[in-house]
Amino acid sequence: MPISYEVHPGIGIARVGTSDEFFVGPEPDGTPPSQYRDQAGNLLRQAARFRVYKCERDENRRLLNATEVMPDTGTIAWTVHLANRKAVAETFPPDPEVPPNERPRRNPKEPDRQRLIIDAGPRSLIPPKKLERFDSGRFKDRIVPLGEIRREENGRLLVLGGFGQSDFIREDGQPSPINSFVNNSDWFDDISDGPVRAVVTTADGQINQVTSSWVIVAPPDFAPGITNIVTLYDIALEAAVRRGWLVPPSTPSFVRDVLPILARPLGYAWVSQLASLGHSSRRPGDFSSDWSTLGDPQGDPFERSAIVRRLREPLTLPPSTRLSMPRLNDSTHSTNVLALTPTQFAILQAWAVGNFVGDLDAPSQTGELLPDALDRMSLQACSGGPFFPGIEAGGILAKDELYSEPFRLDSDSLEPGEVTMGNAVPWQADFWDCKLEGQSGLGWWPAQRPDQVYPDLDSLNALRFRNWDLGVNGRQGMVDNWHRLGVVVEESSPDGKSVFFEKERTLPGL
C-alpha cells in the first residue's frame, strides 16, 4: 500500500485576537478554553495546530492507518509563508461580464502594487528553533505583523495570526472613511493565509518530503459552539465529490449524515431571534423533540418530506418563498435563501423517502482516523456560505480545481494570501454590515457573528434577546470595538439542559 508523510489538518484555521495568549482551535482530542480572554481582558487568539503523520492509503487514497511523527521517530522542519493580498484584489462583487484581467481593483491609484501586499516571506523552524515571527511585512511604509509560528516540544506546529490590527494609510494625511462593506482603498488588516510545509528526517537519517497543508488566519468566531448549516467542510467535500475523489453515501446514516444537518438550525436559535421563532424549544422546527421519529425509517414520511420541501433545491436553484429555510442570504444577495450543497440535499432527499440507516440508538462507530478527524473539525468550525464575500474565506474554496486531494489545497497553484484575498478590507466593515437584514428578513453568519443573544438565564426565561453588537456604532465602531464584544458559550441550565449565553463582554454602556 502507498505510504506518504502528510501534514494534517489539510486546511488549518487560526484567528486574530488582541492577547499574546492563545488557545488551540477545535480538535477531536482537544477541549474548548474555559475563558476567551486573558487576565487583562484581552481577547485570546486562536492557534492552528499542525501535525505530521506517516499514512498508509489504499489504491483509492482512502486512509487505512496513520502514525504521528514524534521526536522518537523523526524530526520535523517546518516552513510557513503568510501573506495578506487584500489591497490588490478585484473589487467585490465581480462583474461576470468583464474579463478577470480587466476588472477594477482595490486601490486603483496606487501604481506600485507590491507596496500593498503584506508579505514578510517564509519563516522556518528547524530544530531546535522554537519561534519565528512574521514581523517585517509592510503595507505601504508601515510594518504590519502577521503573527508567528511556534514548535511544541512534541514537534507539532502552532500557527498564530496577528492582533486584529486594521487601519488606513494616506500619504496626503487626510482621513479615509469606510464607505464600503468590502472595498476600502488605503485600508489594511492583518488577516492572512499561506502554505504550511514540512520535511521529516527519520531516526535512520532518511529525509522525507511531506504533503503540505494550508493555513487561514481569520476573524474571531464569537459563537464557537454553534455550527453553520453549511460549513467549509461541506464546501470542500462537494469539491471532492465533483472531482470524483469521494462518493456520497447511497444509504445515509441518520446519526452520521442526517442528524448533523437537522441539528445545526437549532443552534441558530441561540444567536438569532428570527431563528428562535422557528427552531427554539417547543417551536415547529425544534427537531430535537422528535429525533426518535425522524431517525426511524418507518417513521412518518410526511414529516420528513415537509422539512425537505422547505429547502431550496441547490442544482436548479428555484426562487425561495417566505417559508423556505434556512433564513440566511445566498451568495448573490438575491433575497433568496442559502441552499445546501448538492450532497447535503441528496442526503436529505434519501432520508425523506426512508432510504437511510436508522442508527439513532446504535453504538457509535465512526471508523474515522485522527488525521481525517483533524481535517473535518478544522473546517466544520467555519462558514461555508453565504460567500458575500465570506468570513474565513470566500467562494475561492468552492473551486474544485484548486484542490490537490480531498480537503487539501494545491499549494503549488496558489499564492500566499490568495485564499483570503477577496474578503472584505477591513474585515470589520463586513462584520458590521452582515447582520440580520430587516428588509429581506435574512441573516448572514449568525454562527460566527451573532445577531441577537441571551446574556443570562433571566433573559432566557423572559425570552428577551439583545443585539450582540449593542454599543457599536457603524463600521468604524466595529473596527474600534470588535474585541470588546461577547463570546457565546455553552453552559448547563438548572434543569441540566445545554444553553448558550453571551459572556466576557467588556464593552460598557449596557
Side-chain angles (χ1 to χ4, degrees):
M1 297 293 177
I3 300 293
S4 61
Y5 287 89
E6 305 171 6
V7 180
H8 289 272
I11 303 173
I13 307 296
R15 298 182 187 275
V16 299
T18 54
S19 175
D20 286 324
E21 300 177 30
F22 62 90
F23 65 96
V24 177
E27 294 180 315
D29 51 356
T31 56
S34 58
Q35 299 285 331
Y36 287 88
R37 295 188 183 275
D38 62 21
Q39 291 294 320
N42 297 307
L43 190 67
L44 302 181
R45 290 178 292 169
Q46 175 178 306
R49 177 186 276 145
F50 294 89
R51 321 179 194 197
V52 173
Y53 286 88
K54 184 179 181 181
C55 297
E56 178 183 351
R57 296 181 178 273
D58 64 16
E59 59 276 7
N60 295 318
R61 295 290 297 162
R62 184 172 64 92
L63 186 62
L64 301 177
N65 188 41
T67 304
E68 186 176 0
V69 175
M70 301 299 282
D72 60 337
T73 57
T75 59
I76 307 170
W78 295 97
T79 300
V80 180
H81 190 169
L82 294 179
N84 176 307
R85 307 176 67 86
K86 287 186 175 184
V88 298
E90 294 178 6
T91 56
F92 184 89
D95 185 347
E97 302 298 323
V98 178
N101 61 344
E102 297 179 11
R103 292 172 185 167
R105 298 267 169 173
R106 296 168 181 168
N107 294 283
K109 296 180 180 179
E110 174 57 63
D112 185 356
R113 308 300 286 175
Q114 286 299 124
R115 296 182 69 226
L116 305 175
I117 300 173
I118 306 168
D119 185 357
R123 296 290 188 267
S124 296
L125 291 180
I126 301 173
K129 185 174 287 188
K130 295 183 178 180
L131 174 67
E132 279 283 357
R133 302 185 189 279
F134 297 92
D135 55 3
S136 60
R138 294 175 179 270
F139 178 78
K140 298 185 179 179
D141 294 325
R142 184 185 301 183
I143 290 178
V144 182
L146 295 182
E148 70 231 44
I149 53 176
R150 304 185 183 198
R151 182 174 59 84
E152 297 183 299
E153 290 299 326
N154 56 15
R156 295 172 180 172
L157 175 75
L158 295 175
V159 180
L160 289 100
F163 295 94
Q165 181 185 9
S166 298
D167 205 349
F168 68 90
I169 298 175
R170 285 186 56 159
E171 280 78 359
D172 60 8
Q174 295 300 307
S176 186
I178 305 176
N179 294 319
S180 166
F181 77 98
V182 59
N183 306 305
N184 291 285
S185 291
D186 305 313
W187 278 82
F188 68 90
D189 61 32
D190 57 1
I191 299 302
S192 63
D193 67 89
V196 177
R197 307 182 191 275
V199 175
V200 169
T201 303
T202 53
D204 60 3
Q206 183 176 350
I207 298 176
N208 303 271
Q209 296 299 315
V210 180
T211 303
S212 61
S213 178
W214 202 268
V215 64
I216 296 171
V217 179
D221 181 354
F222 286 98
I226 309 297
T227 303
N228 298 274
I229 192 168
V230 181
T231 70
L232 276 186
Y233 182 81
D234 298 308
I235 296 299
L237 172 63
E238 200 62 39
V241 169
R242 290 195 299 267
R243 292 288 294 267
W245 294 332
L246 295 176
V247 179
S250 57
T251 305
S253 154
F254 181 77
V255 171
R256 184 186 64 245
D257 302 314
V258 178
L259 190 148
I261 303 174
L262 298 179
R264 291 170 186 174
L266 310 188
Y268 287 145
W270 297 103
V271 288
S272 167
Q273 187 171 11
L274 176 64
S276 75
L277 297 177
H279 296 292
S280 59
S281 179
R282 295 183 294 278
R283 294 286 184 173
D286 178 18
F287 307 134
S288 65
S289 64
D290 205 17
W291 286 140
S292 58
T293 300
L294 296 175
D296 182 359
Q298 305 304 314
D300 185 358
F302 296 102
E303 185 176 1
R304 299 194 301 265
S305 297
I307 293 172
V308 176
R309 282 198 300 270
R310 296 187 64 177
L311 300 172
R312 188 180 178 198
E313 205 283 323
L315 294 177
T316 60
L317 289 175
S320 57
T321 72
R322 65 180 184 85
L323 296 177
S324 299
M325 64 178 191
R327 304 304 297 170
L328 301 174
N329 282 284
D330 70 1
S331 293
T332 65
H333 199 198
S334 65
T335 72
N336 286 304
V337 303
L338 179 69
L340 302 185
T341 68
T343 294
Q344 287 179 307
F345 191 75
I347 286 171
L348 291 189
Q349 283 182 310
W351 167 73
V353 298
N355 179 28
F356 67 99
V357 179
D359 53 358
L360 186 61
D361 298 321
S364 177
Q365 296 180 347
T366 64
E368 185 179 45
L369 296 180
L370 187 55
D372 288 340
L374 291 169
D375 294 348
R376 174 180 56 80
M377 289 192 68
S378 176
L379 294 176
Q380 276 186 342
C382 303
S383 174
F387 293 134
F388 198 79
I391 294 184
E392 293 88 1
I396 188 172
L397 287 191
K399 296 181 178 180
D400 51 296
E401 68 271 16
L402 295 184
Y403 292 84
S404 59
E405 59 183 62
F407 315 113
R408 192 179 300 274
L409 293 171
D410 184 354
S411 58
D412 293 327
S413 66
L414 287 166
E415 294 283 346
E418 190 172 352
V419 172
T420 57
M421 183 177 183
N423 286 16
V425 57
W427 64 265
Q428 295 96 334
D430 204 16
F431 230 59
W432 167 257
D433 279 43
C434 285
K435 61 182 74 177
L436 179 67
E437 297 181 336
Q439 184 174 2
S440 68
L442 300 177
W444 289 96
W445 309 302
Q448 250 82 354
R449 185 255 187 248
D451 290 319
Q452 292 85 29
V453 294
Y454 291 116
D456 50 38
L457 187 61
D458 289 340
S459 63
L460 172 61
N461 290 335
L463 299 179
R464 187 174 61 250
F465 277 99
R466 76 175 179 207
N467 288 338
W468 173 75
D469 60 9
L470 187 64
V472 175
N473 184 19
R475 296 166 180 159
Q476 184 63 53
M478 187 62 78
V479 169
D480 297 335
N481 294 294
W482 62 272
H483 56 284
R484 307 170 74 188
L485 293 165
V487 181
V488 177
V489 298
E490 185 175 8
E491 295 186 355
S492 292
S493 66
D495 58 0
K497 295 181 179 179
S498 291
V499 292
F500 290 83
F501 297 139
E502 180 198 37
K503 298 295 182 181
E504 303 183 56
R505 180 185 174 104
T506 63
L507 186 63
L510 300 182

